[in-house]
Coordinates of all heavy atoms in Angstrom, one line a residue:
A64 N -83.2 -40.9 164.7 CA -82.4 -40.6 165.9 C -82.6 -41.8 167.0 O -81.6 -42.2 167.6 CB -82.7 -39.2 166.6
Q65 N -83.9 -42.2 167.1 CA -84.0 -43.3 167.9 C -83.4 -44.6 167.5 O -82.8 -45.3 168.3 CB -85.6 -43.5 168.0 CG -86.4 -42.4 168.6 CD -86.4 -42.4 170.1 OE1 -86.1 -43.4 170.7 NE2 -86.7 -41.2 170.8
T66 N -83.4 -44.8 166.2 CA -82.8 -46.0 165.6 C -81.3 -46.0 165.9 O -80.7 -47.0 166.4 CB -83.1 -46.2 164.2 OG1 -84.4 -46.3 164.0 CG2 -82.4 -47.4 163.5
V67 N -80.7 -44.9 165.6 CA -79.2 -44.8 165.7 C -78.9 -44.9 167.2 O -77.9 -45.5 167.7 CB -78.6 -43.5 165.1 CG1 -77.3 -43.3 165.3 CG2 -78.9 -43.6 163.6
G68 N -79.6 -44.2 168.1 CA -79.2 -44.0 169.5 C -79.4 -45.3 170.2 O -78.6 -45.6 171.1
K69 N -80.4 -46.2 170.0 CA -80.5 -47.3 170.7 C -80.8 -48.6 169.9 O -81.1 -49.7 170.3 CB -81.7 -47.2 171.7 CG -83.0 -46.7 171.2 CD -84.0 -46.6 172.3 CE -85.3 -46.3 171.8 NZ -86.4 -46.1 172.8
G70 N -80.8 -48.5 168.5 CA -81.1 -49.6 167.6 C -79.9 -50.2 166.9 O -80.0 -51.0 165.9
I71 N -78.7 -49.7 167.1 CA -77.5 -50.3 166.4 C -76.6 -51.0 167.4 O -76.3 -52.1 167.1 CB -76.7 -49.1 165.7 CG1 -77.5 -48.3 164.7 CG2 -75.4 -49.6 165.0 CD1 -78.0 -49.1 163.6
V72 N -76.4 -50.5 168.5 CA -75.6 -51.2 169.6 C -76.5 -50.9 170.9 O -77.2 -49.9 170.9 CB -74.2 -50.7 169.8 CG1 -73.3 -51.0 168.6 CG2 -74.1 -49.2 170.2
D73 N -76.4 -51.8 171.9 CA -77.0 -51.8 173.1 C -76.7 -50.3 173.7 O -75.4 -50.1 174.1 CB -76.7 -53.0 174.0 CG -77.4 -52.9 175.2 OD1 -78.2 -52.1 175.5 OD2 -77.3 -53.9 176.0
A74 N -77.6 -49.6 174.1 CA -77.3 -48.2 174.7 C -76.6 -48.5 176.1 O -76.0 -47.5 176.6 CB -78.6 -47.5 175.0
Q75 N -76.8 -49.6 176.7 CA -76.3 -49.9 178.1 C -74.7 -50.0 178.1 O -74.1 -49.8 179.1 CB -77.0 -51.1 178.8 CG -78.5 -51.1 178.8 CD -78.9 -50.0 179.8 OE1 -78.2 -49.6 180.7 NE2 -80.0 -49.3 179.6
I76 N -74.1 -50.4 176.9 CA -72.7 -50.6 176.9 C -72.1 -49.2 176.4 O -70.7 -49.2 176.4 CB -72.4 -51.8 176.0 CG1 -72.7 -51.6 174.5 CG2 -73.1 -53.1 176.5 CD1 -71.5 -51.1 173.7
V77 N -72.7 -48.3 176.0 CA -72.1 -47.1 175.5 C -71.4 -46.3 176.6 O -72.0 -46.1 177.6 CB -73.2 -46.3 174.8 CG1 -72.6 -44.8 174.3 CG2 -73.7 -47.0 173.5
D78 N -70.2 -45.9 176.3 CA -69.4 -45.0 177.2 C -68.7 -44.0 176.4 O -68.9 -44.0 175.1 CB -68.6 -45.7 178.1 CG -67.5 -46.6 177.4 OD1 -67.4 -46.4 176.3 OD2 -67.0 -47.5 178.0
A79 N -67.9 -43.2 176.9 CA -67.2 -42.1 176.3 C -66.2 -42.7 175.2 O -66.1 -42.2 174.1 CB -66.5 -41.2 177.2
A80 N -65.5 -43.8 175.5 CA -64.6 -44.4 174.6 C -65.4 -44.9 173.3 O -64.8 -44.8 172.2 CB -63.8 -45.6 175.2
V81 N -66.5 -45.6 173.6 CA -67.3 -46.1 172.5 C -67.8 -45.0 171.5 O -67.6 -45.0 170.3 CB -68.5 -46.9 172.8 CG1 -69.5 -47.2 171.8 CG2 -68.1 -48.2 173.5
I82 N -68.2 -43.9 172.0 CA -68.7 -42.7 171.3 C -67.5 -42.0 170.5 O -67.7 -41.8 169.3 CB -69.3 -41.6 172.1 CG1 -70.7 -42.2 172.8 CG2 -69.7 -40.4 171.4 CD1 -71.7 -42.5 171.6
F83 N -66.4 -42.0 171.1 CA -65.2 -41.4 170.6 C -64.7 -42.2 169.4 O -64.4 -41.7 168.3 CB -64.0 -41.1 171.6 CG -62.8 -40.4 171.0 CD1 -63.0 -39.1 170.7 CD2 -61.7 -41.1 170.8 CE1 -61.9 -38.4 170.2 CE2 -60.5 -40.5 170.3 CZ -60.6 -39.1 169.9
G84 N -64.7 -43.4 169.7 CA -64.3 -44.4 168.6 C -65.2 -44.4 167.4 O -64.8 -44.3 166.3
A85 N -66.6 -44.3 167.6 CA -67.5 -44.3 166.5 C -67.4 -43.0 165.7 O -67.3 -43.1 164.6 CB -68.8 -44.3 167.1
L86 N -67.2 -41.9 166.4 CA -67.1 -40.7 165.7 C -65.7 -40.5 164.9 O -65.6 -40.0 163.9 CB -67.0 -39.5 166.8 CG -68.5 -39.3 167.4 CD1 -68.4 -38.2 168.6 CD2 -69.4 -38.8 166.3
T87 N -64.6 -41.0 165.6 CA -63.3 -41.0 164.9 C -63.4 -41.8 163.7 O -62.8 -41.4 162.6 CB -62.2 -41.6 165.9 OG1 -62.2 -40.7 167.0 CG2 -60.8 -41.5 165.2
G88 N -64.0 -43.0 163.6 CA -64.1 -43.9 162.5 C -64.9 -43.2 161.5 O -64.4 -43.3 160.3
A89 N -66.0 -42.5 161.8 CA -66.7 -41.8 160.8 C -66.1 -40.6 160.2 O -66.0 -40.4 159.0 CB -68.0 -41.4 161.4
I90 N -65.3 -39.8 161.1 CA -64.6 -38.6 160.6 C -63.5 -38.9 159.8 O -63.3 -38.3 158.6 CB -64.3 -37.7 161.8 CG1 -65.4 -37.2 162.5 CG2 -63.2 -36.6 161.4 CD1 -65.2 -36.4 163.7
V91 N -62.7 -39.9 160.2 CA -61.4 -40.2 159.5 C -61.9 -40.7 158.0 O -61.3 -40.3 157.0 CB -60.6 -41.4 160.1 CG1 -59.6 -41.8 159.2 CG2 -60.0 -40.7 161.3
W92 N -63.0 -41.6 158.0 CA -63.2 -42.2 156.6 C -63.9 -41.1 155.8 O -63.7 -41.0 154.5 CB -64.3 -43.3 156.8 CG -64.7 -44.0 155.5 CD1 -65.9 -44.0 154.9 CD2 -63.8 -44.7 154.7 NE1 -65.8 -44.6 153.8 CE2 -64.5 -45.2 153.6 CE3 -62.4 -45.1 154.8 CZ2 -63.9 -45.9 152.6 CZ3 -61.8 -45.8 153.8 CH2 -62.6 -46.3 152.6
N93 N -64.6 -40.1 156.4 CA -65.3 -39.1 155.7 C -64.2 -38.1 155.0 O -64.3 -37.7 153.9 CB -66.0 -38.2 156.6 CG -67.6 -38.4 156.3 OD1 -68.0 -39.4 155.7 ND2 -68.5 -37.6 157.1
V94 N -63.1 -37.9 155.8 CA -62.0 -36.9 155.3 C -61.2 -37.7 154.1 O -61.0 -37.1 153.0 CB -61.0 -36.7 156.4 CG1 -59.7 -36.1 155.8 CG2 -61.8 -35.7 157.5
V95 N -61.0 -39.0 154.3 CA -60.3 -39.8 153.2 C -61.1 -39.8 151.9 O -60.6 -39.6 150.9 CB -60.1 -41.2 153.8 CG1 -59.7 -42.2 152.6 CG2 -59.0 -41.3 154.9
T96 N -62.4 -40.0 152.1 CA -63.2 -40.0 150.8 C -63.5 -38.7 150.2 O -63.5 -38.4 149.1 CB -64.6 -40.8 151.1 OG1 -65.3 -40.2 152.2 CG2 -64.3 -42.3 151.4
W97 N -63.5 -37.7 151.1 CA -63.6 -36.3 150.6 C -62.5 -35.9 149.9 O -62.5 -35.3 148.8 CB -63.9 -35.3 151.9 CG -64.0 -33.9 151.5 CD1 -65.0 -33.4 150.7 CD2 -63.1 -32.9 151.6 NE1 -64.8 -32.1 150.6 CE2 -63.6 -31.7 151.0 CE3 -61.7 -32.9 152.3 CZ2 -62.8 -30.5 151.2 CZ3 -61.2 -31.7 152.3 CH2 -61.6 -30.5 151.7
V98 N -61.3 -36.2 150.4 CA -60.1 -35.8 149.7 C -59.9 -36.4 148.3 O -59.6 -35.9 147.4 CB -58.8 -36.2 150.6 CG1 -57.5 -36.0 149.8 CG2 -58.7 -35.3 151.7
G99 N -60.4 -37.8 148.3 CA -60.3 -38.5 147.1 C -61.5 -38.2 146.1 O -61.7 -38.7 145.0
G100 N -62.5 -37.4 146.6 CA -63.7 -37.1 145.6 C -64.5 -38.2 145.5 O -65.4 -38.3 144.6
I101 N -64.6 -39.1 146.5 CA -65.4 -40.3 146.4 C -66.7 -40.0 147.3 O -66.7 -39.9 148.5 CB -64.7 -41.5 147.0 CG1 -63.4 -41.8 146.3 CG2 -65.5 -42.8 146.9 CD1 -62.5 -42.7 147.0
P102 N -67.9 -40.1 146.6 CA -69.2 -40.0 147.2 C -69.6 -41.2 148.1 O -70.5 -41.9 147.7 CB -70.2 -39.7 146.1 CG -69.6 -40.3 144.9 CD -68.2 -40.3 145.1
S103 N -69.0 -41.4 149.1 CA -69.2 -42.5 150.1 C -70.3 -42.0 151.0 O -70.7 -40.9 151.0 CB -68.0 -43.0 150.9 OG -67.6 -42.1 151.7
S104 N -70.8 -42.9 151.9 CA -71.9 -42.6 152.8 C -71.4 -42.1 154.2 O -70.8 -43.0 154.8 CB -72.9 -43.8 153.0 OG -73.7 -43.5 154.0
S105 N -71.6 -40.9 154.6 CA -71.3 -40.4 155.8 C -72.1 -41.2 156.9 O -71.7 -41.5 158.0 CB -71.6 -38.9 156.1 OG -70.9 -38.1 155.1
S106 N -73.4 -41.5 156.6 CA -74.4 -42.2 157.5 C -73.7 -43.6 157.9 O -73.7 -44.0 159.0 CB -75.7 -42.3 156.9 OG -76.2 -41.1 156.4
H107 N -73.4 -44.4 156.8 CA -72.9 -45.8 157.0 C -71.4 -45.7 157.8 O -71.1 -46.7 158.4 CB -73.0 -46.5 155.8 CG -74.3 -46.8 155.4 ND1 -74.8 -46.5 154.2 CD2 -75.5 -47.1 156.1 CE1 -76.1 -46.8 154.1 NE2 -76.5 -47.3 155.3
A108 N -70.7 -44.5 157.5 CA -69.4 -44.5 158.2 C -69.7 -44.3 159.6 O -69.0 -44.9 160.4 CB -68.6 -43.2 157.6
L109 N -70.7 -43.4 160.1 CA -71.0 -43.3 161.5 C -71.5 -44.6 162.0 O -71.1 -45.0 163.1 CB -72.1 -42.2 161.6 CG -72.5 -42.0 163.1 CD1 -71.3 -41.4 163.9 CD2 -73.7 -40.9 163.1
I110 N -72.3 -45.3 161.3 CA -72.9 -46.5 161.8 C -71.8 -47.6 161.9 O -71.6 -48.4 162.8 CB -74.1 -47.1 161.0 CG1 -75.3 -46.2 161.3 CG2 -74.4 -48.5 161.3 CD1 -76.4 -46.3 160.3
G111 N -70.9 -47.6 160.9 CA -69.7 -48.6 160.9 C -68.8 -48.3 162.1 O -68.5 -49.2 162.8
G112 N -68.6 -47.0 162.4 CA -67.7 -46.6 163.5 C -68.3 -47.1 164.8 O -67.7 -47.5 165.7
L113 N -69.7 -46.9 164.9 CA -70.4 -47.2 166.2 C -70.3 -48.8 166.3 O -70.1 -49.2 167.5 CB -71.8 -46.7 166.1 CG -72.7 -47.0 167.4 CD1 -72.1 -46.3 168.6 CD2 -74.1 -46.4 167.0
L114 N -70.6 -49.5 165.3 CA -70.5 -51.0 165.4 C -69.2 -51.5 165.7 O -69.0 -52.3 166.6 CB -70.9 -51.6 164.1 CG -72.5 -51.7 163.8 CD1 -72.7 -52.1 162.4 CD2 -73.2 -52.6 164.8

Side-chain angles (χ1 to χ4, degrees):
Q65 295 280 340
T66 298
V67 173
K69 57 181 183 179
I71 302 298
V72 299
D73 184 358
Q75 301 298 328
I76 67 100
V77 172
D78 58 15
V81 170
I82 294 295
F83 184 69
L86 292 169
T87 301
I90 289 171
V91 169
W92 187 246
N93 258 6
V94 170
V95 168
T96 52
W97 176 72
V98 169
I101 303 166
S103 66
S104 169
S105 300
S106 305
H107 292 131
L109 180 61
I110 290 167
L113 183 58
L114 280 170

